[in-house]
Amino acid sequence: MTTGTPEQPSPYAVEVALAAALAELANAQDAQIAQAWAAAWSEVSADLLDVLTVILSDVGRVNATAVVRYERFARVLAAIADRLDTLATNLGITITNDLADVLAQAQTGTVELIAAQRLSRPLPHREVPTAALDAIVRRTTQQVTSTALPLADETYAIVLGELTRGVAAGDNPRQTAARMVSRAEDHMNFGRARAQNIARTETLDAYREGERVTQQAHADLLAGWVWAAHLGSRTCRSCLAMHGQVFDLEVPGPNDHPSGRCGRVPVVREEDGSVDLSWLPSAEEHFAGLSVADQKAILGKDGYRAWAAGDFPMEAWTTTRHADGWRDSQVPASPPSKGGAAGGGGDGRPGAPGSDVSDEPPPSYREAALARFGPPPVDVEPWEAREYWAQRQGALPLDFGGDILKPHEVEFVERFLDAGEDIEWIPKDPALPTNDFFWTSRERLPVELKSTKARAATIHGRLVDAMSRAARQGVTKENFIVDLGDQALPGGLIDELVDFNVDRRKYLVAGLWIFASGRVHAVPLVQP
């Protein structure tokens, strides 16, 4: 039995320590990428502000024709495209430069994990074939190249679309230009976030491949490998479901969601042929020991009710997602329908609530986030702010498909779930615009989210802009939620919006709701 001692930690403790060391390398990559993207933007932002101010002052509006009419504008756009190409190329260099360290960590870490299970028994030396390590480097380099290079074109297209969407100058061209530059930077940061996600995921996958070939070199000692989740209050339900499953050495993995933290731990075969996993904590016992609020945060309101009723066992918490151009991955599964879980009692498991669960109010995701992570940081480095919002996003009981949400989107999801609504996030498509989520409380209605000021004219413009831009690429956006945050619903706003579709021949809205102060208000649109 290898439960561990202060002198000889358990295999699970060794895995946690190894993951922390790998996380340091990944965090350094994050910081390096963030600095590179920030520097690239600072090189072009001043010129961009100046030329946009000139165009707005001259003709009152920036659109696609301005690229032709103003040579300086074309030069600034070319500079943006050039820097994006450089950033995409350097992303691959950043990742491949670290591969030697990553693979060395994978080899030494695997040996430590095997030794932690053999205790006093000597561990024979095994060489990992150089050809196997070279193959990992080639595969990772090819994968990074195929994902990083299109990132430049995709990000440029989004930034260009923002800069040429026909914004009017208003009373102060300089202020309007500054707002346009700020929005363009937001879109640029979307590319940066994707670059960081690519780097972290590909580095983790290379590490796991390094573990796999090292484990195969010790195949005579091993019975396979076990999926080891890092158990905590934020561990997603998919990882909990996979925790403890044993696979053959030839099986790659763990194929968890992008940026996942689960470990691949070799399982030593005992001298009598048996396997001892007593050192691995139980996911069931871990989950049962969490607070009700944490359990609900992991499963969501409907999932928690279904689990408490015995209709959503842990093995059903994961599903396989198939994606073109990337490996399959395990992601959180949706709970069964409300009808199947309603009215049930507990099933006798430790920590499972009884039949009075339906009377308990759902947790406040927003309050829980503020209690756990504190208020949003101010006057900090950009990477510190990103880490804060990534933690709040990670605490939400949804699968975001690798998307990195903006702060206002994270806050919206928290407040929307607190209001008793359920949604399924729609991952962004790099080639086409998409709605933001399916409103599962309303029969999976596809909905676009808009956070804006509580003015009818502003809302009107944002909705028409979203519909027209989507329509140009053959995509329909017709259902909208306008998020006003904590602001109360202004009197008369709904009355000003009911005639949105009147006298319109295209870009008609099918459904419109205002979300204000935690309440959803339907706009009774007059349909032509």
Side-chain angles (χ1 to χ4, degrees):
M1 187 170 179
T2 53
T3 55
T5 66
E7 296 77 20
Q8 178 60 56
S10 74
Y12 185 73
V14 172
E15 158 59 26
V16 172
L18 292 171
L22 183 62
E24 289 185 8
L25 186 149
N27 290 338
Q29 285 182 341
D30 272 358
Q32 183 177 349
I33 292 168
Q35 291 170 2
W37 284 69
W41 184 251
S42 68
E43 292 172 359
V44 298
S45 57
D47 283 346
L48 180 60
L49 175 62
D50 288 344
V51 71
L52 290 175
T53 302
V54 169
I55 297 172
L56 290 168
S57 300
D58 285 353
V59 297
R61 186 178 298 274
V62 179
N63 52 34
T65 61
V67 180
V68 179
R69 294 182 57 190
Y70 290 83
E71 181 181 351
R72 186 182 174 191
F73 188 29
R75 288 200 305 269
V76 173
L77 292 175
I80 293 174
D82 179 67
R83 280 157 179 78
L84 284 169
D85 286 338
T86 301
L87 289 168
T89 301
N90 289 345
L91 173 63
I93 295 173
T94 297
I95 298 171
T96 54
N97 282 349
D98 288 332
L99 283 180
D101 289 341
V102 169
L103 294 178
Q105 287 187 33
Q107 293 176 78
T108 57
T110 297
V111 172
E112 289 181 38
L113 288 166
I114 295 174
Q117 295 172 66
R118 288 177 61 87
L119 297 182
S120 59
R121 287 174 288 169
L123 179 61
H125 178 72
R126 298 283 192 273
E127 287 289 344
V128 178
T130 302
L133 298 175
D134 290 343
I136 296 174
V137 173
R138 287 195 301 271
R139 189 214 68 84
T140 303
T141 302
Q142 292 169 356
Q143 181 67 17
V144 170
T145 301
S146 66
T147 54
L149 292 184
L151 179 62
D153 292 338
E154 294 161 7
T155 305
Y156 177 75
I158 296 172
V159 172
L160 179 63
E162 177 61 47
L163 293 175
T164 59
R165 65 190 183 96
V167 174
D171 296 330
N172 190 318
R174 185 76 176 181
Q175 289 182 1
T176 301
R179 288 195 295 270
M180 293 175 66
V181 171
S182 177
R183 287 195 296 267
E185 183 179 12
D186 287 343
H187 291 304
M188 186 89 163
N189 286 338
F190 165 73
R192 183 217 65 231
R194 284 195 58 204
Q196 290 171 318
N197 193 41
I198 290 170
R200 184 172 290 265
T201 301
E202 292 301 331
T203 297
L204 286 171
D205 280 1
Y207 180 85
R208 290 163 178 166
E209 272 296 286
E211 289 181 307
R212 186 179 68 83
V213 297
T214 307
Q215 290 168 11
Q216 287 180 325
H218 296 81
D220 58 317
L221 308 176
L222 303 178
W225 65 273
V226 63
W227 187 305
H230 291 188
L231 302 178
S233 59
R234 290 180 51 215
T235 307
C236 84
R237 60 179 179 265
S238 175
C239 296
L240 286 171
M242 297 302 298
H243 178 79
Q245 293 194 33
V246 178
F247 301 85
D248 291 336
L249 292 178
E250 293 77 14
V251 177
N255 288 343
D256 52 357
H257 47 77
S259 298
R261 300 178 300 134
C262 292
R264 175 192 177 105
V265 180
V267 177
V268 168
R269 183 187 298 108
E270 301 296 326
E271 292 179 351
D272 62 0
S274 64
V275 169
D276 175 19
L277 289 178
S278 59
W279 49 267
L280 188 67
S282 164
E284 289 80 4
E285 292 179 5
H286 165 76
F287 186 77
L290 295 176
S291 68
V292 171
D294 283 337
Q295 291 174 341
K296 290 180 177 180
I298 290 171
L299 294 179
K301 181 180 65 176
D302 290 342
Y304 178 79
R305 291 178 185 271
W307 169 76
D311 296 326
F312 195 33
M314 185 173 286
E315 59 265 24
W317 295 357
T318 185
T319 188
T320 302
R321 167 174 286 170
H322 306 285
D324 293 335
W326 199 56
R327 61 165 171 80
D328 292 349
S329 57
Q330 295 301 129
V331 298
S334 299
S337 63
K338 294 181 181 180
D347 62 358
R349 292 169 294 176
S355 59
D356 60 346
V357 64
S358 60
D359 297 326
E360 187 171 349
S364 169
Y365 293 102
R366 189 184 193 187
E367 291 177 6
L370 293 173
R372 183 181 302 174
F373 307 116
V378 294
D379 299 327
V380 297
E381 294 294 327
W383 68 265
E384 293 179 284
R386 289 195 300 273
E387 178 64 22
Y388 171 84
W389 289 107
Q391 289 177 327
R392 282 184 63 166
Q393 178 180 337
L396 291 166
L398 299 178
D399 171 27
F400 294 99
D403 282 2
I404 299 175
L405 271 59
K406 296 179 180 178
H408 72 83
E409 293 174 325
V410 174
E411 291 186 308
F412 165 78
V413 174
E414 290 172 346
R415 289 183 283 103
F416 206 56
L417 295 179
D418 287 344
E421 303 294 341
D422 292 318
I423 67 172
E424 177 184 329
W425 196 260
I426 302 174
K428 290 182 174 63
D429 185 327
L432 293 172
T434 62
N435 286 285
D436 288 312
F437 58 85
F438 292 114
W439 194 352
T440 51
S441 310
R442 293 181 181 260
E443 301 180 346
R444 296 188 84 247
L445 190 71
V447 176
E448 176 80 358
L449 170 66
K450 292 298 175 188
S451 298
T452 183
K453 296 180 180 179
R455 292 200 297 260
T458 302
I459 294 172
H460 185 282
R462 294 291 302 279
L463 267 55
V464 171
D465 177 65
M467 288 186 288
S468 61
R469 294 175 69 182
R472 286 197 292 270
Q473 299 190 58
V475 176
T476 298
K477 293 186 177 182
E478 59 182 7
N479 299 299
F480 293 87
I481 287 181
V482 176
D483 179 26
L484 301 184
D486 292 324
Q487 179 180 351
L489 180 68
L493 179 61
I494 288 182
D495 291 338
E496 293 182 76
L497 293 171
V498 295
D499 291 333
F500 184 97
N501 290 328
V502 174
D503 296 328
R504 299 190 65 84
R505 288 180 295 177
K506 60 180 181 178
Y507 307 141
L508 301 177
V509 172
L512 178 60
W513 295 264
I514 308 296
F515 187 46
S517 296
R519 293 186 59 190
V520 179
H521 306 267
V523 177
L525 293 167
V526 176
Q527 298 296 345

